[in-house]
Amino acid sequence: MTEKMAGKITLRELAERIGARLEGGMAETNILGMAPLESAKAGDVTFLTSRKYAEQARATTASAVICTEEFTGLPKEGTAALRCKNPDLARAKALNIFFPPHKYQAGIHTTAVIDASAKIGKNAHIGPYVVIGANVVLGDDCVVLAHVVIYAGSKTGNRFFAHAHAVVRENCMIGDDVELQNGVVLGANGFGFAKDTETGRWHRIQQTGQVIIGNNVEIHANSCIDRASMQETRIADGARIDNLVHVGHGSTVGENSLLCAQVGLAGSTEIGKNVVLAGQVGVAGHCRVGDDVQVVAQSGIPGDVEDGRIVSGSPIMDFKVWKRSTAIFPKLPEMARAIRLLEKGPEKP
Amino acid sequence: MTEKMAGKITLRELAERIGARLEGGMAETNILGMAPLESAKAGDVTFLTSRKYAEQARATTASAVICTEEFTGLPKEGTAALRCKNPDLARAKALNIFFPPHKYQAGIHTTAVIDASAKIGKNAHIGPYVVIGANVVLGDDCVVLAHVVIYAGSKTGNRFFAHAHAVVRENCMIGDDVELQNGVVLGANGFGFAKDTETGRWHRIQQTGQVIIGNNVEIHANSCIDRASMQETRIADGARIDNLVHVGHGSTVGENSLLCAQVGLAGSTEIGKNVVLAGQVGVAGHCRVGDDVQVVAQSGIPGDVEDGRIVSGSPIMDFKVWKRSTAIFPKLPEMARAIRLLEKGPEKP
Amino acid sequence: MTEKMAGKITLRELAERIGARLEGGMAETNILGMAPLESAKAGDVTFLTSRKYAEQARATTASAVICTEEFTGLPKEGTAALRCKNPDLARAKALNIFFPPHKYQAGIHTTAVIDASAKIGKNAHIGPYVVIGANVVLGDDCVVLAHVVIYAGSKTGNRFFAHAHAVVRENCMIGDDVELQNGVVLGANGFGFAKDTETGRWHRIQQTGQVIIGNNVEIHANSCIDRASMQETRIADGARIDNLVHVGHGSTVGENSLLCAQVGLAGSTEIGKNVVLAGQVGVAGHCRVGDDVQVVAQSGIPGDVEDGRIVSGSPIMDFKVWKRSTAIFPKLPEMARAIRLLEKGPEKP
């Protein structure tokens, strides 16, 4: 994915490109690489994104440290501070400079099977054994790696990037700057059945809807976003979905929301904007999780959640309440004993 | 998967085919499409499968509404009622009429690598880059899409349907009308090891058994059904398995049972008939979940469960008990405080 | 994967090869097959690995039973005992004799797309439609089945075995005797983003690190091991990872540890040696689970765990405490009522 930068960059230029204020150090010093605090050395830029490591940062021999305005103890001789409001973001930008993503050459591998009716944009890289169905439209500058399968009727914007073995099913609509990691399945049939109560058998409810993915979305390895029965499953702009996540049919994920690994949304589940669902969270169907909600790992959400709440537990409750109640849970045997004693009353003298 | 119906159908014929009684409306009215309540218009059939939406149904301008015998307020002028016992099932049947599944043309793609000893039934559609091993037998009317791999010795019945990237390992036995969504892995090695207690190393226990799938089974995207160590892992007729489900080696899933997304069965786990395991449920190994059991999402089942129970929690308990106990859980801090006060006794005057 | 042994073996030789002491029976008796207690018959060897089945073992007509030194009731006439300290391990060894793994012939399928700069060791079996990138190095005796994709720069030791549809991303380092089941994704991008607090958008933190896999490791179907942002994600020698497991970026799994199905490690999570995480366990990021820790299914680990503990619950506690507390949990409504009564005090006479 990434390759070591061939060249070098001056402190001055680095500060500009990551939006930092240079303090100490020589503006024309060349920075040659980037490394975490535990291994950074002279010539490197490093970063302090958590206070936990402040002592390490004060002792570093790196040429520069990305840090907040508030951090004290730097610069010491030979180490510049690259001060900014958001060192996390500045670090991300610096990594992009020192480890630019691999560039895939434009070209279509001879083994790719592409339907004659498909339209492929400019500068596409199409890898070996890719299969692209009828009426597919790919925007410009797309990268479609080995073994990716795109079923009939799907459309993507520009800079679509699909890693090996990703699958896009029928009639998906995908925006610009969408990346699928390996093994992602977009648009498989939703899990919808009607019970024939006389025979006990399940009849399939045809999943006739679509999956619609906004702009600037990442979906990670082996996650599954199911197509809706009617209408659509929708992932909004800027959403991030980690590995092995299940998004049931007819669900929506709002802008800039984050679904961590192994999260499951049952179906017709509505996740607002800027929501964070930590790992293994489950959300029931036909309910709404409001904007800016944060959910602790392994929580179970059975119904609507108001905007801005921080919740935990299965079923969920207020996070602070959950902290207190789970702290008491291991004392239940003592509590039960105390109640029994109280019920007996004071020993007769 | 599905395409808009080209033609049209009269109300009379629609009623017959979905098993409904026509009330109001003109029997010879043409129905042109099908849509949910929020978007249905004149010419469409719509459906009322939950009382929640009764008001919407009473206000619809659709030409017909699939509903129960009990539903009141229809027909209003121009809207017929299609009355039946099970509107959910009637809706499924109607969807099949208006959105019939895509027909794949018979034919074997030139890039498919099929062992000379394999037997392929009549009218098979075999997609690009499919790999079929020695002695595989496929029944009639099978559809095997791009990149599917079927290892040596596996056999399927008629109308087997495998979506792109599904894998069937060695010696699986598959019934009629089985559908695998993308990325399903049938028959990977079970997770069986013997510890060498002297070295601490794990020795593989060869997984020599099979996976056996009954008739009319659906397995959804990226789910894994492992082969048994000896004997078999078995999915009975009519079972439905959602995305990202793990069925451990030697487990069995009974007739018409439903495993929702991200469920896990440890191994040698026996699930009865007509069971519903909601999302993210885990079941321990070497235990039996009885017929007709229903399990709430995220529950953990450590041992046998009697027929017909509704259970919840990790570990599980009776669903009603769980409802009451989880309602009290956030009050544990208060309860602990109350006990401390009672222990102190009444304030001395 | 496995095939019935063509030949046969004497009791004497079998005892030697599985490290057992032969008691009763004739040393030169031929053993023709192996079967579990419920189906073993004369000519077979069977095994008793759990006391539960002792009665069945005493009644068997098999020619030999693998069992402990302590087991009584055998031999009866015609049935030998193969006594050993660890019948589980002896059974694993016997299965290897009677069901040896399938041997894949050396050879490279004509459809494999292998970069000219890749180095393939001796006796490799490379299946159809395999794609191998630039500078990949495979050791000797590797088996790479259909549709496997290995990205540029990855290296494996000897006897690497990758089942159909496994993916190895850029620059992974893999030891000897590593086996990947179908659909495994090694080295996909870690889930790392920096929030631009002004726009609310997530910026990718380049995942520039590696995945490093030790010797003698198995990773099962559709599991995902993410590459680190910087430095590495590491799976140590002898580890076993089941289906649908998520190992977040920068995590480490120690020697001989076992991660059961659907386990999730958030990221920078450190799992010690000889740890067992049962199914669906979740572990937070930036914490350490000590050596020899055992974790009950569905537990949630929010922070460090000391060596040797047995823990359960979400969040975890001591296993024994959890057993007692979960036993009381369904009685919370009674406890709450008892407290209310106590607060009211004794009825006035």
Side-chain angles (χ1 to χ4, degrees), chain B residues 189-192 205-212 226-234 248-252 267-268 286, chain C residues 2-4 32-41 44-49 66 91-92 94-99:
Chain B
N189 287 4
F191 198 62
I205 298 171
Q206 290 294 342
Q207 304 294 305
T208 69
Q210 290 184 286
V211 166
I212 298 181
D226 281 0
R227 69 175 52 246
S229 173
M230 306 190 87
Q231 310 191 300
E232 68 234 15
T233 304
R234 186 182 287 270
H249 54 170
S251 294
T252 60
S268 302
H286 300 274
Chain C
T2 55
E3 280 157 12
K4 269 243 152 135
L32 306 168
M34 181 165 177
L37 279 167
E38 59 266 41
S39 60
K41 55 191 189 314
D44 287 340
V45 59
T46 187
F47 46 89
L48 176 64
T49 52
I66 297 169
R91 172 180 62 153
L95 275 166
N96 247 322
I97 295 168
F98 289 98
F99 301 89

Side-chain angles (χ1 to χ4, degrees), chain A residues 50-334:
Chain A
S50 157
R51 279 189 215 168
K52 270 211 290 196
Y53 305 110
E55 279 316 304
Q56 260 186 292
R58 289 184 186 111
T60 186
T61 60
S63 295
V65 178
I66 297 169
C67 59
T68 60
E69 290 288 351
E70 291 72 29
F71 176 62
T72 57
L74 267 174
K76 67 174 198 177
E77 207 174 338
T79 300
L82 289 163
R83 297 199 182 272
C84 53
K85 277 192 195 157
N86 189 342
D88 220 33
L89 181 59
R91 172 180 62 153
K93 289 177 179 173
L95 275 166
N96 246 322
I97 296 169
F98 290 98
F99 302 89
H102 180 72
K103 290 266 182 255
Y104 287 86
Q105 299 288 330
I108 297 179
H109 199 274
T110 53
T111 60
V113 171
I114 302 178
D115 191 274
S117 62
K119 286 183 187 143
I120 311 291
K122 283 181 285 187
N123 305 317
H125 172 99
I126 311 270
Y129 304 124
V130 166
V131 174
I132 295 181
N135 303 312
V136 166
V137 177
L138 297 187
D140 294 340
D141 305 307
C142 292
V143 175
V144 179
L145 296 184
H147 292 266
V148 167
V149 177
I150 304 179
Y151 283 52
S154 283
K155 294 182 173 48
T156 81
N158 299 323
R159 296 169 301 282
F160 174 67
F161 193 123
H163 271 285
H165 284 119
V167 175
V168 178
R169 290 277 299 267
E170 309 87 342
N171 302 315
C172 294
M173 302 294 295
I174 297 176
D176 291 332
D177 299 294
V178 170
E179 179 164 332
L180 308 181
Q181 295 286 307
N182 314 81
V184 164
V185 180
L186 281 195
N189 288 4
F191 197 62
F193 306 97
K195 190 155 200 164
D196 182 338
T197 43
E198 283 168 31
T199 64
R201 290 178 64 170
W202 296 100
H203 282 255
R204 180 188 294 184
I205 298 171
Q206 289 295 342
Q207 304 293 306
T208 69
Q210 289 186 285
V211 166
I212 299 182
I213 309 283
N215 300 317
N216 178 29
V217 168
E218 281 194 29
I219 303 175
H220 283 221
N222 283 350
S223 282
C224 304
I225 318 290
D226 282 1
R227 71 175 49 245
S229 172
M230 305 191 87
Q231 309 192 299
E232 67 233 17
T233 304
R234 187 183 286 271
I235 311 293
D237 295 356
R240 299 284 181 268
I241 295 180
D242 199 359
N243 296 340
L244 296 164
V245 168
H246 165 74
V247 176
H249 54 170
S251 295
T252 60
V253 175
E255 283 176 40
N256 298 320
S257 284
L258 218 74
L259 275 54
C260 295
Q262 298 173 321
V263 160
L265 309 184
S268 301
T269 307
E270 194 184 337
I271 305 294
K273 297 179 192 174
N274 307 314
V275 171
V276 177
L277 304 183
Q280 300 183 333
V281 164
V283 190
H286 300 274
C287 68
R288 175 176 157 81
V289 174
D291 296 343
D292 303 301
V293 168
Q294 295 187 43
V295 186
V296 172
Q298 294 194 322
S299 296
I301 300 181
D304 293 352
V305 182
E306 286 158 38
D307 290 359
R309 291 189 63 194
I310 304 177
V311 294
S312 189
S314 179
I316 50 155
M317 63 200 76
D318 184 79
F319 174 65
K320 285 179 188 165
V321 172
W322 177 81
K323 284 288 280 185
R324 284 196 293 261
S325 291
T326 54
I328 288 171
F329 183 79
K331 295 170 190 156
L332 280 185
E334 281 170 51

Side-chain angles (χ1 to χ4, degrees), chain B residues 111 129 147 151 167 169-170 189 195 201-202 204 206 222 226 231 244 246 262-263 299-300 314 325, chain C residues 1 38 86 96 129 147 163-165 179 181-182 216 218 220 222 240 243 256 262 280 298 329 333:
Chain B
T111 60
Y129 303 125
H147 293 267
Y151 282 53
V167 175
R169 290 278 300 268
E170 310 87 342
N189 287 4
K195 190 156 200 163
R201 291 178 64 170
W202 296 100
R204 178 189 294 184
Q206 290 294 342
N222 283 349
D226 281 0
Q231 310 191 300
L244 296 163
H246 165 74
Q262 298 173 322
V263 160
S299 297
S314 178
S325 291
Chain C
M1 204 36 224
E38 59 266 41
N86 188 344
N96 247 322
Y129 303 124
H147 292 267
H163 271 284
H165 285 119
E179 180 164 332
Q181 296 285 308
N182 313 82
N216 178 30
E218 280 193 30
H220 283 221
N222 283 350
R240 299 284 181 268
N243 296 340
N256 298 321
Q262 298 172 321
Q280 300 184 333
Q298 294 194 321
F329 182 79

Side-chain angles (χ1 to χ4, degrees), chain B residues 111-113 129-131 147-149 151 165-167 169-171 183-185 188-208 222-224 226-227 229-231 244-247 262-264 280-282 286 298-301 314-315 317 321-322 324-326 328-329 332 335 338-339 342, chain C residues 1-2 34-36 38-39 47 52-53 85-86 88-93 95-96 99-101 104 109 111 128-129 145-147 162-165 179 181-183 216 218 220-222 238-244 256-262 274 276 280 297-298 322 326 328-336 338-339 342-343:
Chain B
T111 60
V113 172
Y129 303 125
V130 166
V131 175
H147 293 267
V148 168
V149 177
Y151 282 53
H165 285 121
V167 175
R169 290 278 300 268
E170 310 87 342
N171 302 315
V184 164
V185 180
N189 287 4
F191 198 62
F193 306 97
K195 190 156 200 163
D196 182 337
T197 43
E198 283 168 32
T199 63
R201 291 178 64 170
W202 296 100
H203 282 254
R204 178 189 294 184
I205 298 171
Q206 290 294 342
Q207 304 294 305
T208 69
N222 283 349
S223 283
C224 304
D226 281 0
R227 69 175 52 246
S229 173
M230 306 190 87
Q231 310 191 300
L244 296 163
V245 168
H246 165 74
V247 176
Q262 298 173 322
V263 160
Q280 300 184 335
V281 164
H286 300 274
Q298 294 194 325
S299 297
I301 300 182
S314 178
M317 63 200 75
V321 171
W322 177 82
R324 285 195 292 260
S325 291
T326 53
I328 289 172
F329 182 79
L332 280 185
M335 282 171 65
I339 290 171
L342 286 164
Chain C
M1 204 36 224
T2 55
M34 181 165 177
E38 59 266 41
S39 60
F47 46 89
K52 272 211 287 196
Y53 304 111
K85 276 191 195 159
N86 188 344
D88 221 32
L89 182 59
R91 172 180 62 153
K93 289 178 179 173
L95 275 166
N96 247 322
F99 301 89
Y104 286 86
H109 199 274
T111 61
Y129 303 124
L145 296 184
H147 292 267
H163 271 284
H165 285 119
E179 180 164 332
Q181 296 285 308
N182 313 82
N216 178 30
E218 280 193 30
H220 283 221
N222 283 350
R240 299 284 181 268
I241 295 180
D242 199 359
N243 296 340
L244 296 163
N256 298 321
S257 285
L258 218 73
L259 275 54
C260 296
Q262 298 172 321
N274 307 314
V276 177
Q280 300 184 333
Q298 294 194 321
W322 178 82
T326 53
I328 288 171
F329 182 79
K331 295 170 190 158
L332 280 186
E334 283 171 48
M335 283 171 64
I339 291 171
L342 286 164
E343 283 173 330

Side-chain angles (χ1 to χ4, degrees), chain C:
Chain C
M1 204 36 224
T2 55
E3 280 157 12
K4 269 243 152 135
M5 186 188 62
K8 58 194 180 189
I9 185 172
T10 65
L11 256 181
R12 181 203 308 278
E13 194 189 340
L14 178 59
E16 255 170 48
R17 288 179 58 185
I18 68 174
R21 185 177 68 76
L22 177 61
E23 181 185 301
M26 314 260 276
E28 300 311 317
T29 301
N30 277 321
I31 300 297
L32 306 168
M34 181 165 177
L37 279 167
E38 59 266 41
S39 60
K41 55 191 189 314
D44 287 340
V45 59
T46 187
F47 46 89
L48 176 64
T49 52
S50 157
R51 278 189 215 169
K52 272 211 287 196
Y53 304 111
E55 280 316 302
Q56 259 187 292
R58 287 184 188 111
T60 187
T61 59
S63 295
V65 178
I66 297 169
C67 59
T68 59
E69 289 288 350
E70 291 73 29
F71 176 61
T72 57
L74 267 175
K76 69 173 194 177
E77 206 174 340
T79 300
L82 289 164
R83 297 199 181 271
C84 53
K85 276 191 195 159
N86 188 344
D88 221 32
L89 182 59
R91 172 180 62 153
K93 289 178 179 173
L95 275 166
N96 247 322
I97 295 168
F98 289 98
F99 301 89
H102 180 72
K103 290 266 181 256
Y104 286 86
Q105 298 288 330
I108 297 179
H109 199 274
T110 52
T111 61
V113 172
I114 302 178
D115 191 274
S117 62
K119 287 184 186 144
I120 311 291
K122 283 180 284 187
N123 305 317
H125 172 99
I126 311 271
Y129 303 124
V130 165
V131 175
I132 295 181
N135 302 311
V136 166
V137 177
L138 297 187
D140 294 339
D141 305 306
C142 292
V143 174
V144 178
L145 296 184
H147 292 267
V148 167
V149 177
I150 304 180
Y151 282 53
S154 283
K155 294 183 172 50
T156 81
N158 299 322
R159 296 170 300 282
F160 174 67
F161 194 122
H163 271 284
H165 285 119
V167 175
V168 178
R169 290 277 299 269
E170 309 87 341
N171 301 316
C172 294
M173 302 294 296
I174 297 175
D176 291 332
D177 299 294
V178 170
E179 180 164 332
L180 308 181
Q181 296 285 308
N182 313 82
V184 164
V185 180
L186 281 195
N189 287 5
F191 196 63
F193 306 97
K195 189 157 202 163
D196 182 337
T197 43
E198 283 167 33
T199 64
R201 292 178 62 171
W202 296 100
H203 282 254
R204 179 188 294 183
I205 298 171
Q206 290 294 342
Q207 304 293 306
T208 69
Q210 290 185 285
V211 167
I212 299 182
I213 309 283
N215 300 317
N216 178 30
V217 168
E218 280 193 30
I219 303 175
H220 283 221
N222 283 350
S223 283
C224 304
I225 319 290
D226 282 1
R227 71 176 50 245
S229 172
M230 306 192 85
Q231 309 190 304
E232 67 232 15
T233 304
R234 188 182 284 271
I235 311 293
D237 295 355
R240 299 284 181 268
I241 295 180
D242 199 359
N243 296 340
L244 296 163
V245 167
H246 165 74
V247 176
H249 55 170
S251 295
T252 60
V253 175
E255 283 175 39
N256 298 321
S257 285
L258 218 73
L259 275 54
C260 296
Q262 298 172 321
V263 160
L265 310 184
S268 302
T269 308
E270 195 184 338
I271 305 294
K273 298 180 192 174
N274 307 314
V275 170
V276 177
L277 304 183
Q280 300 184 333
V281 163
V283 190
H286 300 274
C287 68
R288 176 178 157 80
V289 175
D291 297 342
D292 304 301
V293 167
Q294 296 185 43
V295 185
V296 172
Q298 294 194 321
S299 296
I301 300 181
D304 292 353
V305 183
E306 285 159 38
D307 291 358
R309 290 189 65 195
I310 304 175
V311 293
S312 189
S314 178
I316 51 155
M317 62 201 76
D318 184 81
F319 173 65
K320 285 179 188 164
V321 172
W322 178 82
K323 284 289 278 185
R324 284 195 293 261
S325 290
T326 53
I328 288 171
F329 182 79
K331 295 170 190 158
L332 280 186
E334 283 171 48
M335 283 171 64
R337 204 161 38 237
I339 291 171
R340 280 195 307 273
L341 283 174
L342 286 164
E343 283 173 330
K344 267 198 219 163
E347 304 252 336
K348 299 274 158 64

